[in-house]
Amino acid sequence: MYTQALNAKDASAGTRPEDTARLAVFQSTVDAEDKIEPNDWMPDGYRKTLIRQISQHAHSEVIGMQPEGNWITRAPSLRRKAALLAKIQDEAGHGLYLYAAAETLGVSRDELYEQLLSGKAKYSSIFNYPTPTWADIGIIGWLVDGAAIMNQIPLCRCSYGPYARAMIRVCKEESFHQRQGYEIMLTLCRGTPEQKAMAQDALNRWWWPVLMMFGPSDKDSMHSADSTRWKIKRFSNDDLRQKFVDATVPQGQFLGLTFPDPDLRLDEESGHWHYGEIDWSEFKRVVAGDGPMNKQRMAHRRQTEADGAWVREAAMAHAEKRRQRAAAARIAAE
Amino acid sequence: MTDKTPMPLWEVFIRARSGLPHKHCGSVHAPDATMAVQAARDVYTRRGESVSIWVVPSAAIIASDPNEKDQLFEPTSTKAYRHPTFYDIPDEVGHM
Ligand SMILES: [Fe+2]
Ligand SMILES: [Fe+2]
Ligand SMILES: [Fe+2]
């Protein structure tokens, strides 16, 4: 999902003997569905996994503003423009909630941000695809945010309190994102033949990359055991992907669109939609940095960061000047 | 980033309606209190979630030690007689 790169194996954290008792308390808290809070003792591996997962999620929200930002000035009406602006502002907010949650684990936002800018930290592969048409904005809301919701609803019950609380806020807002996207698709599909063709073209381009958002297939996924025991992850990648396909196919059919998968069929017995094989080589390529837009996304992020530096510096200098003046006035008054 | 001075961290509390207490909702980074309030408004109250915001420098918060949770709160766990249900009142008396 937004944290696909987590599916790489990481050196397993050794447990010190003196931690055994604390580990037992920690695990029983988790097993009882109680929350772990920032100052509670936690195993190193739990802390590391959360920092990586939450920061990758935050980076994805931040980079995810770019494909949609591409259309703010070209939205087809004032209503659409206002909605798109509000949605993108929400994504910035999601990034901030998540950085704040990560910081409770003892890492600074600046450090995390540095990892994004240096390319050390990953973000979701989905934001490395281009948005050449207005229908792409509909698709992002309907499918990309839709997939994100599927992944994030179980995270609202994650064992780490600050992450769970951030996800509750995020999920409330995502529903607006998905509905506005679907409404764009509906309008296009009920429009002219050219508009409908634009909607179909967008679905053709995005469907497979969206399915990849859920991460590698369970048989190739590394991190699940710890994350499951710690109640960070509650459903496997393939389970979430299946849920998403089952929920989404009927919505696409309602639009009168077809999915670019000749193997897609309803399995009468299980009630699930069976889908074809995902091209994992494409997934690996895009996660590794070689997707259609990786270079541009990172270049844009770094440029924005550099362009904004003087604003942050000026704000800090102004605050410092006011602090000094206030201190001087206090001394003069004494 | 050219400036490495970290921006101060502020804890944010919002009051959803008058009559309710301010409740912690997260944190923001900002150079000063005025900008912290503005950032908190933009980050945490985009949908009318709030009629009032408090920001407090995170470093100013004094918290109890979670490792001493048991000693700190133990005294109340053995005092069931502080709860109304500890007392038996005959049904005939009615609601009390
Ligand atoms: Fe988001
Ligand atoms: Fe998102
Ligand atoms: Fe969203």
Side-chain angles (χ1 to χ4, degrees):
Chain A
M1 177 50 55
Y2 283 8
T3 52
Q4 294 148 326
L6 276 185
N7 298 286
K9 192 74 184 162
D10 134 78
S12 87
T15 311
R16 291 178 293 261
E18 67 266 30
D19 289 341
T20 313
R22 292 193 283 191
L23 187 60
V25 173
F26 166 85
Q27 192 60 49
S28 72
T29 306
V30 170
D31 291 343
E33 299 283 339
D34 276 345
K35 299 294 180 207
I36 304 297
E37 293 294 343
N39 296 322
D40 292 342
W41 184 89
M42 60 187 84
D44 290 343
Y46 180 79
R47 186 185 301 275
K48 260 191 234 161
T49 300
L50 278 171
I51 290 175
R52 283 207 302 167
Q53 174 161 340
I54 300 172
S55 62
Q56 282 179 23
H57 193 161
H59 300 330
S60 300
E61 302 284 353
V62 169
I63 297 289
M65 290 188 279
Q66 288 186 43
E68 293 178 293
N70 183 33
W71 278 91
I72 291 174
T73 57
R74 294 177 290 164
S77 70
L78 192 56
R79 179 176 184 268
R80 296 286 187 218
K81 189 194 291 246
L84 186 57
L85 273 168
K87 178 193 190 290
I88 295 171
Q89 195 187 1
D90 279 352
E91 305 300 3
H94 297 174
L96 288 170
Y97 307 156
L98 289 160
Y99 285 126
E103 282 194 305
T104 65
L105 291 157
V107 64
S108 77
R109 187 175 80 187
D110 288 346
E111 260 172 272
L112 297 173
Y113 215 64
E114 206 51 56
Q115 292 171 4
L116 171 66
L117 295 175
S118 72
K120 187 175 166 241
K122 302 286 181 226
Y123 56 87
S124 176
S125 60
I126 197 68
F127 301 118
N128 291 313
Y129 290 86
T131 47
T133 74
W134 173 248
D136 295 330
I137 301 308
I139 284 279
I140 287 180
W142 172 37
L143 298 183
V144 175
D145 289 283
I149 292 171
M150 218 32 112
N151 182 55
Q152 289 167 3
I153 285 177
L155 286 173
C156 296
R157 293 188 293 130
C158 156
S159 61
Y160 188 57
Y163 191 26
R165 293 192 285 275
M167 291 322 303
I168 290 170
R169 301 185 64 88
V170 167
C171 283
K172 278 187 193 159
E173 300 179 351
E174 290 297 350
S175 167
F176 143 57
H177 300 176
Q178 193 184 19
R179 290 170 64 102
Q180 67 88 37
Y182 193 75
E183 197 198 76
I184 291 172
M185 295 305 289
L186 199 58
T187 307
L188 289 172
C189 291
R190 288 174 176 171
T192 64
E194 288 84 352
Q195 287 171 328
K196 176 128 192 222
M198 186 191 275
Q200 181 64 58
D201 166 67
L203 180 57
N204 293 347
R205 284 181 289 111
W206 287 87
W207 177 244
W208 291 107
V210 164
L211 293 190
M212 293 174 200
M213 285 177 71
F214 294 91
S217 162
D218 294 349
K219 50 186 194 296
D220 306 315
S221 183
M222 325 288 271
H223 265 265
S224 294
D226 282 346
S227 284
T228 304
R229 185 160 39 88
W230 290 330
K231 296 197 194 288
I232 296 173
K233 193 171 177 61
R234 289 181 184 261
F235 297 98
S236 76
N237 294 351
D238 286 337
D239 285 351
L240 288 169
R241 190 166 14 242
Q242 186 65 56
K243 267 189 182 196
F244 173 76
V245 171
D246 290 344
T248 306
V249 170
Q251 296 166 356
Q253 290 174 330
F254 182 84
L255 293 171
L257 297 176
T258 55
F259 289 84
D261 177 0
D263 295 328
L264 189 69
R265 58 174 172 76
L266 183 63
D267 182 73
E268 299 285 353
E269 224 164 88
S270 66
H272 291 304
W273 283 90
H274 168 87
Y275 55 90
E277 190 59 36
I278 292 171
D279 177 4
W280 293 113
S281 63
E282 172 179 334
F283 171 73
K284 286 192 191 115
R285 223 169 37 242
V286 178
V287 169
D290 201 17
M293 299 297 280
N294 296 56
K295 290 198 179 65
Q296 186 176 326
R297 298 287 183 245
M298 286 310 298
H300 183 85
R301 190 63 245 156
R302 291 191 189 108
Q303 188 62 47
T304 305
E305 180 69 19
D307 290 349
W310 73 269
V311 179
R312 292 187 297 277
E313 284 163 26
M316 289 290 280
H318 181 69
E320 183 53 30
K321 186 182 75 186
R322 299 226 310 197
R323 256 190 297 277
Q324 283 175 6
R325 276 194 193 153
R330 246 196 326 276
I331 291 165
E334 274 163 11
Chain B
M1 264 176 282
T2 48
D3 186 355
K4 285 290 168 191
T5 320
M7 251 185 215
L9 187 65
W10 307 77
E11 296 305 315
V12 180
F13 300 79
I14 61 178
R15 184 203 288 285
R17 277 184 283 115
S18 61
L20 293 179
H22 286 79
K23 206 172 141 193
H24 184 248
C25 68
S27 55
V28 293
H29 284 276
D32 61 23
T34 312
M35 292 186 75
V37 169
Q38 258 164 26
R41 183 204 59 182
D42 292 345
V43 176
Y44 293 105
T45 70
R46 289 192 301 282
R47 289 178 175 78
E49 291 93 335
S50 169
V51 294
S52 165
I53 296 175
W54 287 353
V55 294
V56 179
S58 300
I61 291 191
I62 315 292
S64 63
D65 182 347
N67 296 318
E68 280 164 18
K69 191 163 59 185
D70 292 347
Q71 298 97 298
L72 195 60
F73 300 109
E74 188 280 332
T76 80
S77 64
T78 52
K79 296 182 173 63
Y81 51 84
R82 293 184 177 212
H83 296 278
T85 45
F86 185 78
Y87 303 92
D88 290 324
I89 305 290
D91 287 347
E92 302 90 283
V93 178
H95 177 76
M96 183 180 281

